[in-house]
Amino acid sequence: MTGKEGGHIDHAAAGATPPHANAVNPDALEVAPGTEHERLEGWIPALASEEELRGALEKAFDYRGDVTITRKDGSKVEGYLFDRRTGATLKDSVVRLYPKGSDEKISVSYAEIRALAFTGRDTAAGKSWEAWMKKYAEKKAAGEKDLSLHPEELE
């Protein structure tokens, strides 16, 4: 089929619109807002209720630095919280962490936790795409030839 029956448009005709004039821009569809991360470094949440404890431990699980847990017996453990298993009760729920300076894994029951503090440096803070592009642009503007960006040394 040819002509108008085949969907062809006479672009020279008055009032003709280009075939994709009303098409949606695919780049505009793929743009999603970034995630705003909370600045938790140094935060010591109030753990007055079960809900506050559970919420703070969820944030600790997503945190990219060390936390310090104070148990109800007064002992403290500082380390990287890498897992949590939530149960119906605080006694059935545990967090798992690597204590600072050790490769062992320890578990602490939610019911044992008196206090929580975000004591370690958030190793991913400021590591957004926008921050990377800003550093890249600064290097380029300064005339640097090696425009690769290398990760910071971890402690």
Side-chain angles (χ1 to χ4, degrees):
M1 219 187 283
T2 61
K4 290 181 185 179
E5 296 84 19
H8 299 283
I9 299 171
D10 179 6
H11 296 289
T17 57
H20 301 291
N22 298 324
V24 177
N25 178 356
D27 291 332
L29 293 175
E30 295 179 16
V31 175
T35 302
E36 186 69 33
H37 293 282
E38 290 182 78
R39 307 287 282 164
L40 298 173
E41 232 171 87
W43 182 48
I44 301 173
L47 304 179
S49 70
E50 180 177 331
E51 185 179 311
E52 288 173 333
L53 174 63
R54 287 182 183 273
L57 289 171
E58 281 301 309
K59 289 181 182 190
F61 175 70
D62 291 334
Y63 189 61
R64 288 107 359 154
D66 287 347
V67 297
T68 300
I69 293 175
T70 304
R71 293 184 181 108
K72 290 182 178 174
D73 68 4
S75 64
K76 293 184 179 192
V77 60
E78 181 178 8
Y80 181 76
L81 195 151
F82 71 92
D83 189 21
R84 86 292 195 210
R85 297 179 182 171
T86 57
T89 66
L90 292 181
K91 197 170 212 158
D92 296 334
S93 304
V94 296
V95 291
R96 295 177 33 187
L97 56 123
Y98 290 108
K100 195 170 189 173
S102 173
D103 287 336
E104 74 175 292
K105 299 172 189 173
I106 65 166
S107 297
V108 179
S109 169
Y110 282 28
E112 296 176 38
I113 299 173
R114 179 181 352 144
L116 175 69
F118 293 75
T119 51
R121 183 174 70 91
D122 185 348
T123 57
K127 305 290 192 286
S128 67
W129 173 252
E130 290 80 15
W132 188 90
M133 287 302 296
K134 182 179 176 189
K135 287 179 186 177
Y136 179 86
E138 288 170 358
K139 281 185 162 190
K140 190 172 182 178
E144 289 188 37
K145 299 294 180 203
D146 176 21
L147 295 178
S148 62
L149 295 174
H150 303 284
E152 293 177 12
E153 291 293 321
L154 296 176
E155 299 164 28

